[in-house]
Amino acid sequence: MSAAGAPSSDLAMRLHRDLDRIWSTPPGVGRLSAVNHTIVGRRFIVAAFVFFIIGGLLAMLIRAQLATPHGAFVGPELYNQIFTMHGSVMMFLFAIPMFEGVAIYMLPKLLGARDLAFPRLTAYGFWCYVFGGSILVVAMLLGVAPDSGWFMYTPLSSNTYSPGINADVWLLGITFVEISAVCAAVEITVTILKMRAPGMTIDRMPLFAWYILVTAGMMLAGFPPLILGSILLEVERAFDLPFFDPARGGDPLLWQHLFWLFGHPEVYIIFLPGAGMVSTILPVMARREIVGYTWIVVSVVAVGFLSFGLWVHHMFTTGIPHLALGFFSAASTLVAIPTGVQIFSWLATLIDGRPQLKLPMLYLFGFFVVFVAGGLTGVMVAVVPFDWQVHDTHFVVAHMHYVLVGGFVFPLLAAAYYWLPHVSGKVARYPLGHAAFWLIFIGFNVTFFIMHLTGLLGMPRRVFSYEPGWGWDLPNLVSSFGGFLMTIGFALFVVDMMLHVRFGRTAPRNPWGASTLEWATATPPATYNFASLPTVSGRHPLRDTPELPSDLAGGRGYLGFPREGRQETLGIHMTAATPDQVIVLPGPTYLPLYTAFATGVVFLGLLFKVYWLVPVGAVLMLAMFMLWTRGTGQLRDRGPLPIGLGVSAPAHWEAAGAPSWWAMVFTLVADGVLFSSLAFGALFLWVSAPGWPPPQVIDVQWWQPALAGAGLVAAALAGRRAVAVNGNADASRSAGRDRWLLLAAAGHAFALAWLVLLALATPGPTLHAYGAATVALLAYAGFHAALGCVFALFGLWRSRAGYISAARSLDLRIGALWHGYTAATGIAAVLLVAALPRLVTL
Ligand code: HEM
Ligand SMILES: [Cu+2]
């Protein structure tokens, strides 16, 4: 090392040592307190892979059973559990969490940040996922796994036909897991919008980030209907409120609507991350910039919107009106356009580039073949008369697996090989990956290509046995044989990964010659990713500035110094992409684990019908969440802090658009979708369900809902006044602020009382779906008013404790969002409650 270089590299070494200490996670058992995105992201990926193995073993059981007529491995009851669990595990415990894991691990590195916006939420989501998934797996080992199919159609999943605990396991376990999906979606959205590197305007964002952003947005809109459906069905099963029971004014079709409002977007929620991996890896392998960046972005966004208009195509055989059939059939074909645009971009990139057939490219080739074939059969089943023919046969099973495995598993395997040098710092020594590919690829096609035929020959899905001599014997045997080939391929993949991590050669930095920021970190990456943060001036930072990695490591970017032992990263203005705040992140803590435990108490209480446990767990949860805020915020104003390169920015609690404010906005978006689904459900039952009008309706005087609404409006206005008064530079302001907060709490409490009274006055919630829907609407509003009360009192506490000033108003502004939302939905809810009795007697 040259004498002149020594002092600056000493400085760099010191910087790395300091950052290492500040960002470290304790070893041993202390790892349970990890909140760092690299660690938790890896955990997500490993856990999701374990669930993939479990789902795969179940698939092997299915294939063993179906290999021969009169298969004798399992009986019908067990077979029902096996295919239900296979589908549910693959969709909810493998595909979605695997996407979350990859996004959690990659996103900050792609964007040039040190962590995600809410590290503790990442960890909380992880524990919710593991606990919820464990409930399902334990139930399976005890022989009480869900058995009504992965879409849990009522009445099959109702008390009458599924009296055991099995269906409750699904409804509660999956809802538990979905909490983690919604957490991840909020966090990912905020991180992409607020934590990109300075200069990374949205048109310079890596394509993978675009795909992730759209996927997260779809999760925010797609999961709430399913969460709502699960809650309603569980309430029907546990407390006999008849939302889906046609004998009492309910309608099983309501479940189908709520499920497919989620279920169809779900297919794209799984496919888009896969496509994102393709769009990332393919140009690197082809050694050419992707063709049509803008076209791809437009089509990804279009897929996001279109996919929500398509759910009804899963219900073509339920006898819906012909015009609707035509519309949804056309729309289903329409979604092929943006997908086609992406495929043409990829092909153009390949043709125009100089592709290398390295291992990731081989898996991408597998993706192309399989996914395009799946798309073709998809267009076939989008044609209504054809769907009538093959509905619920193995043809659909084959189509579905071509899309899911082609669209997600093959890109994922490509990504595994592509990013493995990043995660492990190693490159492969043995060529096992090729053998694994051919086994998986051939095995897959043998299994599922034949299955189209089995389906056309009329074999229905979800049957555990069949008679010999119907022409189904040979194709089934071949399918099962293919399945075992594929399994050997996956086993080889696992062995390859292990050998790789254990015996691989040290990887050079950026082994594929990629141009995105994740390759600017060391490999494996340090917990803080970058010793200092980059500025970006184009879509290809590493190609535009080859010396970027050493600049960043040398501390010559933003925040290239430790400050007060805090974990700092940068926030930017959403569109201008200029630094606008220093985001201070929390370090390792057990709180997320404990909070997930408390959440688990709520779910187990519901599952085993030990209802006193539910409020206990809920209070514990609330208390834990309050504890999260300890150590966030400051007791004095700091003003702008230097962030290096001659620029200053305020800490996030003094900034206008802090990440947590945006998180509340997106949480409310998801919540709003849930509320709309509930309102839709109530109206749908009135319009479509048999057995209406109800025998009795609530006898509301106009002033009862009006008073409830008035309380909510008062709370919302008081919440806004608290923020406004806080901004006035007036000596008495803290007293004024506290009074407004108290008034907000009182407004909520007042409204809550009226909502409860109205619910009590509702006649026979168990007698007719009308009463059940009314109570559900009131419960929604009441729940929000109760939490609004907590929010207001929490603000009061923060204010008294000195965390709030004219500059530090974040807590108040977040509270104001909640109060406003509660008023808007609460008023809509009481209006609907007041209007329904008049509507139903029309
Ligand atoms: C690893 C190889 C796989 C094999 C051999 C396999 C095999 C099967 C078979 C034979 C069925 C039909 C069961 C029946 O209707 O009787 C099935 C259903 C299903 N599979 Fe797979 N599968 C595999 C991977 C996957 C993956 C990766 C996913 C999702 C990402 C998935 C999702 C589903 C779903 C959602 C169902 C429907 C379950 C239901 O009807 O409730 N499978 N699978
Ligand atoms: Cu669909």
Side-chain angles (χ1 to χ4, degrees), residues 272-305:
L272 282 183
M277 293 167 191
V278 177
S279 287
T280 307
I281 301 170
L282 189 111
V284 178
M285 293 296 132
R287 289 177 290 184
R288 192 210 184 287
E289 188 176 337
I290 188 112
V291 174
Y293 174 98
T294 313
W295 282 101
I296 292 193
V297 172
V298 170
S299 39
V300 173
V301 175
V303 168
F305 281 104

Short mmCIF file of all heavy atoms in Angstrom, two decimals, residues 272-305:
data_model
loop_
_atom_site.label_atom_id
_atom_site.label_comp_id
_atom_site.label_asym_id
_atom_site.label_seq_id
_atom_site.Cartn_x
_atom_site.Cartn_y
_atom_site.Cartn_z
N LEU A 272 -45.52 -11.77 -10.86
CA LEU A 272 -44.75 -10.55 -11.09
C LEU A 272 -43.34 -10.59 -10.49
O LEU A 272 -42.39 -10.19 -11.15
CB LEU A 272 -45.51 -9.32 -10.60
CG LEU A 272 -46.64 -8.84 -11.52
CD1 LEU A 272 -47.27 -7.56 -10.95
CD2 LEU A 272 -46.13 -8.56 -12.93
N PRO A 273 -43.18 -11.04 -9.24
CA PRO A 273 -41.79 -11.12 -8.74
C PRO A 273 -40.94 -12.03 -9.61
O PRO A 273 -39.76 -11.73 -9.86
CB PRO A 273 -41.95 -11.70 -7.34
CG PRO A 273 -43.35 -11.40 -6.95
CD PRO A 273 -44.16 -11.42 -8.21
N GLY A 274 -41.53 -13.13 -10.10
CA GLY A 274 -40.77 -14.01 -10.99
C GLY A 274 -40.36 -13.26 -12.24
O GLY A 274 -39.19 -13.30 -12.66
N ALA A 275 -41.31 -12.54 -12.83
CA ALA A 275 -41.00 -11.76 -14.03
C ALA A 275 -39.94 -10.71 -13.72
O ALA A 275 -39.08 -10.40 -14.56
CB ALA A 275 -42.26 -11.12 -14.57
N GLY A 276 -40.01 -10.15 -12.52
CA GLY A 276 -39.01 -9.16 -12.12
C GLY A 276 -37.62 -9.76 -12.08
O GLY A 276 -36.64 -9.13 -12.48
N MET A 277 -37.53 -10.99 -11.61
CA MET A 277 -36.23 -11.66 -11.59
C MET A 277 -35.75 -11.86 -13.03
O MET A 277 -34.58 -11.64 -13.34
CB MET A 277 -36.34 -13.01 -10.87
CG MET A 277 -36.63 -12.86 -9.38
SD MET A 277 -37.13 -14.43 -8.66
CE MET A 277 -37.71 -13.89 -7.04
N VAL A 278 -36.67 -12.25 -13.91
CA VAL A 278 -36.29 -12.43 -15.31
C VAL A 278 -35.76 -11.12 -15.89
O VAL A 278 -34.69 -11.08 -16.50
CB VAL A 278 -37.48 -12.94 -16.14
CG1 VAL A 278 -37.10 -13.05 -17.61
CG2 VAL A 278 -37.98 -14.27 -15.61
N SER A 279 -36.50 -10.03 -15.65
CA SER A 279 -36.09 -8.75 -16.22
C SER A 279 -34.76 -8.27 -15.64
O SER A 279 -34.09 -7.43 -16.24
CB SER A 279 -37.16 -7.68 -15.95
OG SER A 279 -38.27 -7.92 -16.77
N THR A 280 -34.39 -8.76 -14.48
CA THR A 280 -33.13 -8.36 -13.87
C THR A 280 -31.98 -9.20 -14.41
O THR A 280 -30.91 -8.69 -14.74
CB THR A 280 -33.21 -8.54 -12.34
OG1 THR A 280 -34.36 -7.86 -11.87
CG2 THR A 280 -31.96 -8.01 -11.66
N ILE A 281 -32.21 -10.51 -14.48
CA ILE A 281 -31.11 -11.43 -14.78
C ILE A 281 -30.84 -11.50 -16.28
O ILE A 281 -29.70 -11.53 -16.73
CB ILE A 281 -31.45 -12.83 -14.23
CG1 ILE A 281 -31.69 -12.73 -12.72
CG2 ILE A 281 -30.35 -13.82 -14.55
CD1 ILE A 281 -32.25 -13.98 -12.11
N LEU A 282 -31.94 -11.47 -17.06
CA LEU A 282 -31.80 -11.69 -18.49
C LEU A 282 -30.87 -10.68 -19.18
O LEU A 282 -29.97 -11.07 -19.93
CB LEU A 282 -33.18 -11.70 -19.13
CG LEU A 282 -33.19 -12.11 -20.58
CD1 LEU A 282 -33.87 -13.46 -20.72
CD2 LEU A 282 -33.91 -11.10 -21.43
N PRO A 283 -31.03 -9.36 -18.94
CA PRO A 283 -30.11 -8.43 -19.62
C PRO A 283 -28.66 -8.63 -19.21
O PRO A 283 -27.76 -8.45 -20.04
CB PRO A 283 -30.60 -7.04 -19.17
CG PRO A 283 -31.77 -7.24 -18.32
CD PRO A 283 -32.05 -8.69 -18.14
N VAL A 284 -28.43 -9.05 -17.98
CA VAL A 284 -27.04 -9.28 -17.56
C VAL A 284 -26.46 -10.47 -18.32
O VAL A 284 -25.34 -10.43 -18.82
CB VAL A 284 -26.97 -9.51 -16.03
CG1 VAL A 284 -25.55 -9.80 -15.60
CG2 VAL A 284 -27.51 -8.29 -15.30
N MET A 285 -27.29 -11.53 -18.44
CA MET A 285 -26.83 -12.71 -19.16
C MET A 285 -26.66 -12.41 -20.65
O MET A 285 -25.79 -12.96 -21.31
CB MET A 285 -27.85 -13.85 -19.01
CG MET A 285 -27.96 -14.39 -17.61
SD MET A 285 -26.42 -15.14 -17.10
CE MET A 285 -26.21 -14.41 -15.50
N ALA A 286 -27.53 -11.53 -21.19
CA ALA A 286 -27.45 -11.20 -22.61
C ALA A 286 -26.44 -10.09 -22.89
O ALA A 286 -26.23 -9.72 -24.04
CB ALA A 286 -28.83 -10.77 -23.12
N ARG A 287 -25.84 -9.57 -21.84
CA ARG A 287 -24.86 -8.48 -21.96
C ARG A 287 -25.40 -7.33 -22.81
O ARG A 287 -24.74 -6.81 -23.70
CB ARG A 287 -23.54 -9.00 -22.53
CG ARG A 287 -22.81 -9.86 -21.50
CD ARG A 287 -21.56 -10.45 -22.03
NE ARG A 287 -21.81 -11.49 -23.03
CZ ARG A 287 -20.86 -12.21 -23.59
NH1 ARG A 287 -19.61 -12.01 -23.28
NH2 ARG A 287 -21.17 -13.14 -24.47
N ARG A 288 -26.66 -7.00 -22.52
CA ARG A 288 -27.27 -5.88 -23.22
C ARG A 288 -28.31 -5.27 -22.30
O ARG A 288 -29.00 -5.98 -21.58
CB ARG A 288 -27.97 -6.38 -24.49
CG ARG A 288 -28.37 -5.25 -25.41
CD ARG A 288 -29.59 -5.56 -26.22
NE ARG A 288 -29.88 -4.49 -27.17
CZ ARG A 288 -30.38 -3.30 -26.81
NH1 ARG A 288 -30.63 -3.01 -25.55
NH2 ARG A 288 -30.63 -2.38 -27.74
N GLU A 289 -28.41 -3.94 -22.34
CA GLU A 289 -29.43 -3.27 -21.57
C GLU A 289 -30.80 -3.80 -21.98
O GLU A 289 -31.01 -4.13 -23.15
CB GLU A 289 -29.33 -1.78 -21.88
CG GLU A 289 -30.19 -0.90 -21.04
CD GLU A 289 -29.93 0.56 -21.39
OE1 GLU A 289 -28.83 0.86 -21.93
OE2 GLU A 289 -30.80 1.39 -21.16
N ILE A 290 -31.76 -3.87 -21.03
CA ILE A 290 -33.07 -4.41 -21.38
C ILE A 290 -33.72 -3.54 -22.45
O ILE A 290 -33.62 -2.32 -22.42
CB ILE A 290 -33.97 -4.53 -20.14
CG1 ILE A 290 -35.27 -5.26 -20.45
CG2 ILE A 290 -34.32 -3.15 -19.58
CD1 ILE A 290 -35.38 -6.57 -19.81
N VAL A 291 -34.38 -4.18 -23.39
CA VAL A 291 -35.07 -3.43 -24.44
C VAL A 291 -36.43 -3.00 -23.90
O VAL A 291 -37.19 -3.83 -23.39
CB VAL A 291 -35.25 -4.32 -25.68
CG1 VAL A 291 -36.10 -3.60 -26.73
CG2 VAL A 291 -33.90 -4.70 -26.26
N GLY A 292 -36.75 -1.70 -24.00
CA GLY A 292 -38.09 -1.25 -23.65
C GLY A 292 -38.37 -1.14 -22.16
O GLY A 292 -39.41 -1.60 -21.69
N TYR A 293 -37.44 -0.53 -21.42
CA TYR A 293 -37.65 -0.31 -19.98
C TYR A 293 -39.02 0.29 -19.71
O TYR A 293 -39.79 -0.21 -18.90
CB TYR A 293 -36.53 0.62 -19.48
CG TYR A 293 -36.63 1.08 -18.03
CD1 TYR A 293 -35.91 0.43 -17.03
CD2 TYR A 293 -37.42 2.18 -17.68
CE1 TYR A 293 -35.99 0.85 -15.71
CE2 TYR A 293 -37.50 2.60 -16.37
CZ TYR A 293 -36.78 1.95 -15.39
OH TYR A 293 -36.85 2.37 -14.08
N THR A 294 -39.34 1.37 -20.41
CA THR A 294 -40.60 2.06 -20.15
C THR A 294 -41.80 1.17 -20.46
O THR A 294 -42.78 1.14 -19.72
CB THR A 294 -40.68 3.33 -21.00
OG1 THR A 294 -39.43 4.02 -20.87
CG2 THR A 294 -41.79 4.23 -20.52
N TRP A 295 -41.71 0.42 -21.57
CA TRP A 295 -42.80 -0.48 -21.93
C TRP A 295 -43.03 -1.51 -20.84
O TRP A 295 -44.16 -1.86 -20.52
CB TRP A 295 -42.50 -1.18 -23.25
CG TRP A 295 -42.76 -0.28 -24.41
CD1 TRP A 295 -41.83 0.41 -25.14
CD2 TRP A 295 -44.03 0.05 -24.95
NE1 TRP A 295 -42.45 1.14 -26.10
CE2 TRP A 295 -43.81 0.95 -26.02
CE3 TRP A 295 -45.34 -0.32 -24.64
CZ2 TRP A 295 -44.83 1.48 -26.78
CZ3 TRP A 295 -46.37 0.20 -25.39
CH2 TRP A 295 -46.12 1.09 -26.45
N ILE A 296 -41.94 -1.99 -20.28
CA ILE A 296 -42.07 -3.00 -19.24
C ILE A 296 -42.76 -2.39 -18.02
O ILE A 296 -43.71 -2.96 -17.47
CB ILE A 296 -40.70 -3.58 -18.86
CG1 ILE A 296 -40.18 -4.40 -20.04
CG2 ILE A 296 -40.79 -4.42 -17.60
CD1 ILE A 296 -39.01 -5.27 -19.72
N VAL A 297 -42.30 -1.20 -17.63
CA VAL A 297 -42.91 -0.56 -16.46
C VAL A 297 -44.41 -0.37 -16.69
O VAL A 297 -45.23 -0.71 -15.84
CB VAL A 297 -42.23 0.79 -16.17
CG1 VAL A 297 -42.99 1.54 -15.09
CG2 VAL A 297 -40.79 0.57 -15.72
N VAL A 298 -44.76 0.13 -17.88
CA VAL A 298 -46.17 0.37 -18.16
C VAL A 298 -46.95 -0.94 -18.09
O VAL A 298 -48.04 -1.01 -17.52
CB VAL A 298 -46.35 1.03 -19.54
CG1 VAL A 298 -47.81 1.06 -19.95
CG2 VAL A 298 -45.78 2.45 -19.52
N SER A 299 -46.37 -2.01 -18.65
CA SER A 299 -47.17 -3.24 -18.65
C SER A 299 -47.26 -3.86 -17.26
O SER A 299 -48.29 -4.46 -16.93
CB SER A 299 -46.68 -4.26 -19.68
OG SER A 299 -45.31 -4.28 -19.75
N VAL A 300 -46.23 -3.69 -16.45
CA VAL A 300 -46.31 -4.23 -15.09
C VAL A 300 -47.43 -3.51 -14.32
O VAL A 300 -48.25 -4.13 -13.65
CB VAL A 300 -44.97 -4.08 -14.36
CG1 VAL A 300 -45.11 -4.48 -12.90
CG2 VAL A 300 -43.91 -4.94 -15.02
N VAL A 301 -47.45 -2.19 -14.47
CA VAL A 301 -48.51 -1.43 -13.79
C VAL A 301 -49.88 -1.85 -14.34
O VAL A 301 -50.85 -2.03 -13.59
CB VAL A 301 -48.28 0.08 -13.95
CG1 VAL A 301 -49.42 0.88 -13.35
CG2 VAL A 301 -46.96 0.48 -13.30
N ALA A 302 -49.94 -2.06 -15.66
CA ALA A 302 -51.22 -2.46 -16.26
C ALA A 302 -51.68 -3.82 -15.73
O ALA A 302 -52.85 -4.01 -15.42
CB ALA A 302 -51.08 -2.50 -17.79
N VAL A 303 -50.75 -4.76 -15.62
CA VAL A 303 -51.11 -6.07 -15.08
C VAL A 303 -51.70 -5.89 -13.68
O VAL A 303 -52.72 -6.48 -13.33
CB VAL A 303 -49.89 -7.01 -15.00
CG1 VAL A 303 -50.20 -8.25 -14.17
CG2 VAL A 303 -49.45 -7.41 -16.39
N GLY A 304 -51.05 -5.01 -12.90
CA GLY A 304 -51.52 -4.76 -11.55
C GLY A 304 -52.98 -4.35 -11.54
O GLY A 304 -53.79 -4.88 -10.77
N PHE A 305 -53.34 -3.42 -12.43
CA PHE A 305 -54.73 -2.97 -12.43
C PHE A 305 -55.68 -4.00 -13.03
O PHE A 305 -56.72 -4.32 -12.47
CB PHE A 305 -54.85 -1.65 -13.19
CG PHE A 305 -54.41 -0.48 -12.36
CD1 PHE A 305 -53.18 0.11 -12.56
CD2 PHE A 305 -55.22 0.01 -11.34
CE1 PHE A 305 -52.76 1.18 -11.78
CE2 PHE A 305 -54.82 1.07 -10.55
CZ PHE A 305 -53.58 1.66 -10.77
#
